[in-house]
Every structure is written in C-alpha cells, then in structure tokens.
Amino acid sequence: MLSDLLENNKQWARFMEIQCPGFFKELSEQQKPEYLWIGCSDSRVPANEIVGMLPGELFVHRNIANLVLHTDLNCMAVLHYAVEVLKVKHIIVCGHYGCGGVKAALGNQDLGLIDNWLRHLKDIGFEYRDILNAEADEDQRVDRLCELSVQKQVTNICHSKVVQRAWKHGHELTVHGWIYSIEDGIIKELNVDISGLEDIPEIYCMNT
C-alpha cells in the first residue's frame, strides 16, 4: 500500500533528524558528493545502502544492466553534471552477478522493446564469445559477461569527451569497475581503474 510507504518515510525522516539534528537543513543547502555511481536498476542493489553512505554522499545513475552508451542522453547528461558541476573525484560502474539483463542478452527470446537495449550486451558477448564459451555452465557465463560488461562501460566512460576534458584540465578523476554479489552482499573490485589519458588508446582520444 502506498500509505505504508508514506508512513515509512515519516518514520525515516524522524529517525534521521534524531540521529543527526539539522541533517535535512544541511542537505537542502548543498550537494557535494565525491562519487558518481552508475549501477543496475535491480531493486536488490540499492546504491547508498550497500556502501554505507547517506543521502548527499553519492550521485547516482541507474539503468538496466548498468550500461554507459554514448547515444544515451540521460546517462551522458548525468555524467556531464557529475564531472563538470559537482566535480566528483570517482566514477564507479557497479554491476552485479546474476543480472537479469545480462542473462536475457545471452538468450534468443523476443522480449520486445528492451531487445534494442540488450543489443549492446549481445555485442559484448559476441566480442568475448571465446571467453564465455570456455565457462562451464550458463550461470558462470552470465557472471563472466557481467564482469566483461562492467569493464566495457568503464572504457566507454573514459572515451567520453566530458571525462577526457576533465583530465586535460587537471581534474583529479578515476573511473572504477566493481561488481556486487547479491548472495553475500560483498563488492568485488575488477581492477580496471583508469585515471588519465595515458591509459586511453590514441584512436579514442579527443581534441577537447
């Protein structure tokens, strides 16, 4: 019931004000997060909660399967605002094992409109088909593609004009790739961090 959600909200607001007097007044006056989180829309992966952060500490963009596409103006607008206005120092792409979008992309079902979105995951799967085919079963292939997709999204971010312009202007900014396990609640680093233009192939470097 929606009334339950509204009551939960009131209780949460009272709790926060008791724990941190003046919290909402301070929050309303500024937004200075150091992190942009790009994650999956999956309801089991709440960005703030799994990293133990309060409202105002994490700028968040979520979509199905945590994709970063240069044709997605919503994602690009979030990236632009986070980097150029909020001056975040870290961009985190966080996927999760067992992602339904990734699993669907490995199949051949007609799912309607979402097939256009999943096509980008299929492209990654085809690019790394030898790696995926070497996995023992479907669940392992799904999880491996979840990891590979996060790595691809990290590079997509680094190939964007807004991030490269920030680096050229001396902005301290690092892009990270993480993956979350719903089964135990633990985040794993994929060790694909990129902090500057020296890690970008020349063909993707832009005159910004």
Side-chain angles (χ1 to χ4, degrees):
M1 298 292 292
L2 294 181
S3 58
D4 292 339
L5 300 183
L6 293 172
E7 182 58 34
N8 289 345
N9 166 253
K10 292 176 183 177
Q11 293 180 16
W12 172 77
R14 285 194 292 267
F15 173 80
M16 290 300 299
E17 194 61 32
I18 291 171
Q19 294 294 310
C20 306
F23 175 78
F24 291 106
K25 183 178 186 303
E26 183 178 347
L27 194 64
S28 67
E29 293 174 351
Q30 64 179 354
Q31 179 181 209
K32 293 183 178 179
E34 293 191 355
Y35 310 90
L36 167 61
W37 175 282
I38 299 177
C40 184
S41 298
D42 194 302
S43 61
R44 300 166 296 175
V45 192
N48 285 68
E49 290 184 35
I50 65 175
V51 290
M53 285 189 164
L54 293 172
E57 296 181 323
L58 201 65
F59 197 59
V60 177
H61 174 77
R62 296 170 69 179
N63 61 50
I64 294 174
N66 46 268
L67 298 181
V68 178
L69 309 177
H70 295 102
T71 53
D72 179 2
L73 296 184
N74 183 4
C75 185
M76 290 297 104
V78 169
L79 184 63
H80 179 274
Y81 188 81
V83 173
E84 297 206 354
V85 179
L86 297 177
K87 306 295 185 183
V88 298
K89 295 181 179 179
H90 302 274
I91 300 172
I92 300 163
V93 181
C94 187
H96 67 96
Y97 290 124
C99 180
V102 173
K103 185 173 183 179
L106 285 173
N108 298 104
Q109 288 182 294
D110 182 353
L111 300 174
L113 181 63
I114 196 174
D115 286 335
N116 296 283
W117 186 259
L118 298 180
R119 169 63 186 272
H120 301 283
L121 284 165
K122 285 184 177 290
D123 290 342
I124 299 171
F126 183 74
E127 180 180 353
Y128 294 104
R129 59 193 178 278
D130 292 339
I131 293 174
L132 297 177
N133 290 336
E135 298 293 345
D137 58 40
E138 181 183 2
D139 289 342
Q140 289 179 319
R141 283 192 291 275
V142 169
D143 287 349
R144 189 73 180 101
L145 183 52
C146 289
E147 294 177 343
L148 292 168
S149 177
V150 167
Q151 295 176 32
K152 179 65 73 172
Q153 310 321 312
V154 167
T155 60
N156 284 349
I157 290 171
C158 295
H159 295 168
S160 70
K161 181 176 290 187
V162 64
V163 168
Q164 293 190 22
R165 181 164 54 236
W167 282 331
K168 285 189 175 182
H169 291 170
H171 183 170
E172 180 184 339
L173 179 64
T174 303
V175 185
H176 312 267
W178 292 359
I179 194 151
Y180 174 73
S181 172
I182 294 173
E183 293 185 354
D184 61 15
I186 301 299
I187 293 172
K188 171 185 174 182
E189 293 184 89
L190 295 178
N191 298 316
V192 291
D193 300 1
I194 300 178
S195 300
L197 289 168
E198 63 275 8
D199 296 319
I200 307 300
E202 185 177 356
I203 191 172
Y204 293 108
C205 290
M206 303 176 183
N207 293 320
T208 55

